[in-house]
Amino acid sequence: MEKRGDVMLGVEDESGQPVSALSILSLLERVSTIIDGVQASQQRMEERQQQLESSVSAVQSELLKLARDHGATATTVDKLLQKARRVSAHVKEVRSRVEKQNVRVKKVETTQDELLTRNKFRVVIYQSSSPDVTYTEVVSENKREGPVSEEGATRIQED
């Protein structure tokens, strides 16, 4: 390859004409510009890749926190459901006892009505400290005026 003026000998274009050094230089400059553009694009892509990796890492950590919180919430909800079941069982038990108590009260009221209509008794009902036992005090009424004596009073225990 010899150089004569602007033309390089030994380097020819497609048509067989010698190629000038300026055209080779301009071609090299275009290639350099293209390479610079590719490197800049590659750098931007690398930066974007790092941003994406940090975003993915943040999402993963948040997902782990969410999973832990979900597990804690599930445990709490399970405990609350167990407590609700126990309360429901207690409510059913109390309801049953109240219904039984109502039946006993109705029996006492019926007995009281029978005694009042049959013998003109006055019945005073009171409960002791135990909720399961009801005492009924039956006092007969005398036709005379004045207080009723203790001798005429009887106590009946209802179950």
Side-chain angles (χ1 to χ4, degrees):
M1 276 201 296
E2 290 180 32
K3 189 173 178 189
R4 244 193 252 162
D6 234 3
V7 178
M8 292 182 69
L9 298 174
V11 177
E12 298 173 353
D13 64 2
E14 299 167 356
S15 62
Q17 300 288 334
V19 178
S20 72
L22 290 177
S23 62
I24 292 178
L25 185 60
S26 70
L27 182 62
L28 287 176
E29 284 179 13
R30 278 191 258 158
V31 169
S32 173
T33 305
I34 292 172
I35 289 175
D36 288 342
V38 168
Q39 286 177 340
S41 295
Q42 186 176 3
Q43 179 139 4
R44 284 192 306 269
M45 288 172 52
E46 287 175 359
E47 290 172 359
R48 180 68 181 143
Q49 179 69 25
Q50 288 175 351
Q51 289 174 351
L52 287 174
E53 287 175 0
S54 66
S55 296
V56 166
S57 176
V59 167
Q60 285 175 336
S61 69
E62 291 295 321
L63 189 58
L64 287 174
K65 287 179 189 176
L66 181 64
R68 276 196 309 267
D69 291 345
H70 177 69
T73 302
T75 302
T76 303
V77 166
D78 189 44
K79 287 178 183 177
L80 286 173
L81 285 174
Q82 288 175 354
K83 286 181 181 181
R85 287 184 196 112
R86 281 185 286 201
V87 167
S88 177
H90 288 291
V91 166
K92 286 179 183 177
E93 184 179 313
V94 168
R95 185 178 291 141
S96 172
R97 286 194 309 223
V98 166
E99 287 173 358
K100 288 178 184 177
Q101 183 75 20
N102 284 339
V103 168
R104 285 189 213 126
V105 167
K106 287 185 185 194
K107 284 182 184 177
V108 168
E109 287 175 349
T110 304
T111 304
Q112 177 186 2
D113 287 343
E114 288 176 10
L115 289 173
L116 286 174
T117 56
R118 207 175 344 143
N119 295 323
K120 294 188 180 179
F121 280 81
R122 178 175 48 126
V123 178
V124 179
I125 299 175
Y126 65 95
Q127 289 186 342
S128 68
S129 60
S130 172
D132 295 330
V133 180
T134 301
Y135 291 99
T136 305
E137 185 177 325
V138 179
V139 180
S140 64
E141 291 184 2
N142 292 331
K143 293 190 178 186
R144 64 188 169 113
E145 293 185 19
V148 177
S149 67
E150 290 287 326
E151 298 167 1
T154 58
R155 187 177 269 180
I156 302 170
Q157 181 176 354
E158 301 273 333
D159 289 322

